[in-house]
Amino acid sequence: MPESENTQTALHSVEKIGGTSMSRFTELMDTILIGDRSGEDLYQRIFVVSAYGGMTNLLLEHKKTGEPGVYGRFANGEQEQSWHESLDKVRDEMLAMNRALFGDSTARAKADGFISERIEGARSCMDNLQALCRYGHFQLTDHLLRVREMLAAIGETHSAFNTVLALNESGVKARLVDLSGWHEPEPLAFEEMLTRHLEGIDLATELPIVTGYTHCKEGLMKTFDRGYSEMTFSKIATLTNAREAVIHKEFHLSTADPGIVGLDNIVTIGRTNYDVADQLSNLGMEAIHPKAAKGLREQGIELRIKNAFEPDHSGTLISQDYCSAEPCVEIIAGRSGVLALEVFDQDMLGDITYEIELLQLLKELKVYVIARDSDANSQTYYLSGTRKIINRAVRLIGEKYSAAEVQLHRVAIVSAIGSDMKVPGILAKAVSALSAADISVQALHQSVRQVEMQAIVREQDYENAVRALHHALIEKEEHGDVICAA
Ligand SMILES: Nc1ncnc2c1ncn2[C@@H]1O[C@H](COP(=O)(O)OP(=O)(O)O)[C@@H](O)[C@H]1O
Ligand SMILES: N[C@@H](CC(=O)OP(=O)(O)O)C(=O)O
């Protein structure tokens, strides 16, 4: 790439394609990858791709349920057979994807050969590691992070390799930028790895397809964990000072999940700010990874979230200083499968060390705290994490505080979010909408800052609660097709 691009605003955009969209790859060829572009219009874009939907879940563990994949089984030290079976499943899924994309062509043979070599390479590396660790001088736990990274990277190399192959077949000069670290002599620092691999690419005549996973000295997985492809994406955008950063998703960023509320009832969000994006990612609906947003925000690069299948729509523009002209609710989001851990102890009264210690314990167990509330003698933490680890937290708390009563409840969080939610009577409206839908509210949270209001409901009421709040707080406002078009 020309050096001047690091100092001046460049011509190119950096665009990330999420996993759910990658699974509909053939349609992507007709929309964002090629569509009606030809000649030079095909270029001046860098694509960062995620693994096809569900692949990383099989390789590592299910993002929402925690069900172990290859990594989970390997790390749990289950029988050798168990992770081998999971890896066979990944291979079968990947080969089935190749068959769906390339039929019986020679391209399919190339795609199969490429990914099979990566999978079998990882398998033999893990076999060797297991054998080595039987001697006692080497501990498996010392190497688990590297194994996790090696496995994760397979998902993105698979989708990136196939994308290049399909584009080349259609006459586009696409080029694979493989950041997986496969056979690299030593890990480089994150930025250096990206700079090295992008060096010498002429963006005017070549279309780089970059793997969402970057192998680097810092360990992308250690620092950012799942959703890591957004880190690769935002770092490339800031390093190359891109004209615009774009995230392509399966739907427009909308006032609620279209899967729950229905495409006919949702409204597209035209503009919002990074504060709203943070609330969404806290709930697990990653509009953008908060750490990825930081670099873009600081460098003043605009971020656009687009529907990959409606390329002519301007999508959602996320900026730092946007605030809705009128106070309103912009999104109803939420999360089911949350575990509420309630600790009741009368000795807690007036003693905040209790809370500090509980939070420290949850941090050590790496349990994610989505929300929390308290009263005089109880604390409740709304947690996401595997049942196994949360049960461990319950046991450890019971051992440390013998007088404490610790209970777990399965709940869901439903949340109304907006850049300015100082809407008079909003709490009353929300609660009466839930009660009219026969939903019992278990707890209610709103902070003084008023960007979010959360209702805790029983897990089985989750979808109905989203529909009820969307209807009362958004549909009734009759925003039309888009709230504040970008
Ligand atoms: N407010 C919302 N707007 C759009 N999609 C949403 C919203 N809330 C939840 N979703 C769901 O998010 C899914 C896409 O998830 P996402 O994390 O964007 O996937 P990916 O990054 O893999 O493409 C969609 O299938 C949709 O059902
Ligand atoms: N595929 C990886 C990385 C990622 O960012 O995916 P997505 O863009 O689909 O959220 C994961 O599931 O964590």
Side-chain angles (χ1 to χ4, degrees), residues 420-431:
D420 175 5
M421 286 221 323
K422 293 186 179 107
V423 184
I426 183 181
L427 266 180
K429 252 197 230 172
V431 174

Side-chain angles (χ1 to χ4, degrees), residues 16-22 50-54 63-64 229-230 247-260 266-267 269 280 284-287 305 330-334 462:
K16 184 207 117 164
I17 312 179
T20 335
S21 306
M22 282 301 286
S50 292
Y52 300 111
K63 198 172 179 175
K64 298 253 155 83
S229 58
E230 268 161 30
I247 296 182
H248 296 283
K249 288 192 168 279
E250 193 188 13
F251 294 111
H252 291 297
L253 185 66
S254 319
T255 48
D257 185 346
I260 297 179
I266 52 154
V267 181
I269 295 164
L280 289 175
M285 206 312 248
E286 280 165 8
I305 300 198
E330 292 169 22
I331 305 184
I332 307 297
Y462 174 63

Side-chain angles (χ1 to χ4, degrees), residues 143-188:
H143 306 282
L144 283 179
L145 193 62
R146 288 289 172 221
V147 172
R148 186 169 172 81
E149 300 197 292
M150 179 177 70
L151 287 169
I154 297 175
E156 275 78 25
T157 22
H158 176 227
S159 61
F161 183 87
N162 285 357
T163 305
V164 173
L165 201 57
L167 285 165
N168 287 346
E169 295 264 299
S170 302
V172 179
K173 218 173 142 213
R175 169 165 164 171
L176 177 66
V177 179
D178 181 357
L179 301 175
S180 68
W182 192 250
H183 290 168
E184 294 257 350
E186 56 169 344
L188 299 174

Side-chain angles (χ1 to χ4, degrees), residues 91-124:
R91 183 197 56 211
D92 294 347
E93 294 265 335
M94 288 188 165
L95 296 179
M97 191 69 191
N98 294 354
R99 190 176 327 115
L101 290 177
F102 301 112
D104 280 326
S105 61
T106 49
R108 176 172 153 212
K110 268 196 217 168
D112 285 357
F114 174 83
I115 204 59
S116 301
E117 192 202 330
R118 295 289 173 109
I119 293 174
E120 294 319 315
R123 191 195 301 273
S124 99

